[in-house]
């Protein structure tokens, strides 16, 4: 797949087939992503690949916490608000997804069901948890973002779908304990990955993109 095509056609997948992803394909994706640039070549990323019975057991634990209303306590605080322009984009994005799925804005049970699907990994057979050392700062967070994009593009190029999920960071202590990850490691992100279910309506959704003139200024 040509690079510009990959960038322009990649989108988040939220419904997957149960077909397992071969280990060598995940290895290929992570090997490619390991070429991502990082500040001072520190390469702060650490990855836990979770599949099979481990995937199912962790999904049950996280789903139980979320469905029981346990308050999220992610290592990185969730945003408390957005500037007006960004807030409007987020609101519009959410409303259009609900409209596509035929969910009314006031249908709280259906909206909650949509949220809880995060903890089933949208049916994906594989989930990646990205960690970095807690002593690291903002530059390493930037590096983790670059690494994440590399994973998403490589997965897309391999014919897979992926979805980066902030919700999978809600209960970091549970994830660390389950995977035997030291407390010194910060849970940055979860990524569900697998073969897309092309028949699922949610996978037809495409988020809108702002125009270049909205975020680019030329100085000559």
């Amino acid at each position: 797949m040509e690079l510009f095509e990959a960038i322009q056609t990649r989108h988040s997948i939220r419904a997957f087939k149960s077909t397992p992803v071969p280990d060598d394909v995940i290895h290929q994706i992570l090997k490619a992503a390991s070429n991502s640039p990082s500040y001072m070549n520190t390469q702060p990323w650490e990855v836990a690949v979770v599949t099979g019975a481990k995937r199912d057991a962790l999904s049950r634990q996280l789903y139980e916490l979320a469905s029981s209303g346990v308050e999220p306590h992610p290592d990185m605080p969730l945003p408390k608000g957005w500037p007006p322009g960004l807030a409007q984009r987020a609101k519009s994005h959410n409303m259009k997804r609900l409209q596509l799925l035929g969910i009314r804005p006031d249908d709280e049970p259906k909206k909650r069901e949509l949220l809880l699907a995060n903890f089933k990994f949208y049916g994906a057979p594989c989930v990646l948890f990205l960690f970095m050392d807690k002593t690291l700062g903002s530059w390493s967070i930037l590096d983790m973002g670059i690494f994440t994009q590399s994973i998403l593009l490589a997965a897309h190029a391999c014919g897979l779908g992926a979805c980066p999920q902030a919700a999978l960071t809600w209960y970091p202590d549970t994830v660390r304990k389950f995977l035997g990850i030291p407390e010194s490691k910060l849970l940055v992100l979860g990524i569900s990955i697998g073969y897309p279910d092309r028949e699922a309506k949610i996978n037809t959704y495409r988020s809108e993109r702002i125009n270049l003139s909205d975020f680019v200024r030329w100085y000559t």
Side-chain angles (χ1 to χ4, degrees):
M1 184 181 293
E2 191 267 336
L3 177 59
F4 274 82
E5 179 188 359
I7 294 172
Q8 292 167 352
T9 60
R10 186 219 64 81
H11 65 101
S12 293
I13 296 296
R14 291 183 172 83
F16 295 86
K17 296 180 179 179
S18 59
T19 308
V21 180
D23 290 350
D24 63 328
V25 176
I26 298 297
H27 183 276
Q28 181 184 3
I29 291 167
L30 294 176
K31 181 65 175 175
S34 72
N35 287 286
S36 301
S38 60
Y39 184 68
M40 296 293 290
N41 195 37
T42 47
Q43 303 175 63
W45 39 78
E46 301 179 34
V47 183
V49 181
V50 188
T51 62
K54 288 287 189 182
R55 174 253 183 235
D56 297 344
L58 181 54
S59 174
R60 286 192 294 269
Q61 287 192 24
L62 295 176
Y63 188 90
E64 176 64 25
L65 289 168
S67 62
S68 299
V70 176
E71 190 71 20
H73 54 278
D75 291 333
M76 295 193 299
L78 298 171
K80 296 185 181 300
W82 305 95
L86 279 66
Q88 180 56 42
R89 285 201 288 272
K91 180 179 179 181
S92 174
H93 169 69
N94 186 52
M95 293 297 291
K96 287 179 179 178
R97 280 202 299 172
L98 293 177
Q99 184 178 28
L100 173 71
L101 297 172
I103 300 175
R104 299 190 315 273
D106 62 348
D107 191 340
E108 296 303 327
K110 285 288 186 182
K111 287 165 63 177
R112 182 162 178 75
E113 181 181 329
L114 197 61
L115 171 65
L116 290 175
N118 276 280
F119 305 100
K120 294 182 178 180
F121 311 135
Y122 297 120
C126 178
V127 60
L128 310 179
F129 287 93
L130 308 189
F131 296 89
M132 72 178 201
D133 197 276
K134 285 184 176 180
T135 61
L136 299 174
S138 299
W139 285 104
S140 294
I141 292 291
L142 175 63
D143 296 338
M144 296 297 293
I146 296 170
F147 181 68
T148 296
Q149 174 74 332
S150 295
I151 290 174
L152 300 178
L153 290 175
H156 184 42
C158 287
L160 298 173
C163 186
Q165 295 165 255
L168 297 186
T169 70
W170 281 13
Y171 308 107
D173 295 332
T174 298
V175 174
R176 276 189 290 264
K177 181 178 180 180
F178 183 89
L179 298 175
I181 303 293
E183 177 62 30
S184 60
K185 303 302 179 181
L186 182 145
L187 177 55
V188 178
L189 190 66
I191 304 175
S192 291
I193 186 166
Y195 296 99
D197 178 357
R198 301 295 182 189
E199 302 301 316
K201 184 176 289 188
I202 188 61
N203 286 338
T204 68
Y205 176 76
R206 298 294 184 276
S207 56
E208 292 184 356
R209 300 297 164 175
I210 60 177
N211 297 320
L212 289 185
S213 58
D214 293 324
F215 67 93
V216 177
R217 300 292 179 268
W218 295 85
Y219 299 86
T220 59

